[in-house]
Amino acid sequence: MSPRPWLLRFRSDDIDDDGRPKRTGNVWTASVHILTTVIGSGILSLAWSTAQLGWIAGPIALLLLFLVSYFTSTLLSACYRSGDDNTGRRNYTYMDVVRSNLGKVSNVVHSAILVPICRRHSGSEKNPCNVTFNPQMIVFGVTQFIFSQIPDADQLWCLNVVTAVSSFVYSTIGLGLSIAKIAETGKFRGSLAGFTTANVTATEKTWRSFQALGDIAFAYSFSSILIEIQDTVKSPPSEAETMKKASLISLGVTMLFYMLCGCFGYAAFGDLAPANFLHGFGSYKPYWPLDLANAALTLHLVSAYQVYCQPLFKFVEEAASQKYPDSKFITKDFRVPIPGSRSYKLNFFRLIWRTIFVVITTVIAMILPFFKEAVSLLGAWGFWPLTVYFPVEIFIARKKIPKWSSVWIWLQILSFSCLIITIAAAAGSMAGIVLNLKS
């Protein structure tokens, strides 16, 4: 592939084997990218999830889903190149990997719907529960409409920084408040079995346990943009080797952080741990740490929406351009001069389709009032296909693993087991939604 015209100003040693600028990423930059992607709003429900499962099953679930996520991420990273691991053709996105190995394309938009839902629930319990958050949701949608018109994802580096810093701010504050609450009361709450059937029926206990698994699965989700992160890594060594180390470092740190937040949150609140553990500190004084945490959460969700949606925007627009290359509506950019800055590239297809997307996801989020149920359902929706099924099937196809061989059987057992977890989590989430709709 010859370099693009705008790359001609680079020297040959500044160009990678695909004609793009030389990649400079390494283990540590990739680890930071993964950490900023994984540690997000899913951490808010981990104290509740641990409360449903108890002191034994809760930490075990956090550990097992970490192991599954790490293992499948290594399978997926091994498929970044088609052919030889060092010289084969690069796949730039998750979709490219699926298409080149399985001839299929799959995508989800659940993160785009979930982020506004989390925004709706980011306030503290100092506000009455019957206050409507629709005006704030509309403001959120307008904000995303503006950011969504940024043409290229590489222009969003500042939002990536905001996402990283804000996620650690509200997570750390929540952890600190949990420890402070334990120290204040002198009690380490919780039980081995978790939320007891004395408070709910055995059936509801089962559904809540399944729902907790979905929450934890969602918290570890990052497979959908793993390939985009890997595409920033330099070689040698091979990109797959670098990503394996980066995944182990970042997911290990994530698992430790999740253990701390989930377990200390459960120890602070016991069986009454709220769905968003920041809500449990509504009456805690001084108020400023909680206010700072909620402000950081809001900033995180505003920026995270773009971090997750830009790859989808790019995929749809490139697919449309390839299918209708002669359509000026889709392919033509109009330069709009901006005083004091460089001109803006206006594309009518991008303007209309991204606006419709933002409106639809915001409206869906406004009519879904249940935070933890949405987290669990969307976590279940994306966990098995994106984190397990496709990486397993892609790896099997890539390595030409014989059917019914021992490796093939073990991979299928893993995939089927995670499918069962996904179905259980989805069922528990739907049961929770149906139950809550009654009130």
Side-chain angles (χ1 to χ4, degrees), residues 212-228:
L213 293 175
D215 291 349
I216 297 172
F218 171 78
Y220 280 113
S221 298
F222 83 105
S223 296
S224 60
I225 59 175
L226 181 148
I227 298 299
E228 283 87 344

Side-chain angles (χ1 to χ4, degrees), residues 42 45-53 61 65 200 203-219 273-276 369-381 383 420-436:
S45 62
L46 292 183
W48 182 89
S49 301
T50 306
Q52 309 314 305
L53 299 172
L65 287 172
V200 295
T203 300
E204 187 175 350
K205 162 71 175 177
T206 301
W207 292 134
R208 291 166 72 105
S209 298
F210 288 162
Q211 189 177 319
L213 293 175
D215 291 349
I216 297 172
F218 171 78
N276 176 344
F370 311 124
F371 171 64
K372 66 179 183 295
E373 288 81 5
V375 168
S376 180
L377 180 59
L378 296 174
W381 180 6
F383 174 67
I420 297 300
I421 293 175
T422 291
I423 294 173
S429 304
M430 291 302 299
I433 291 174
V434 171
L435 182 64
N436 285 333

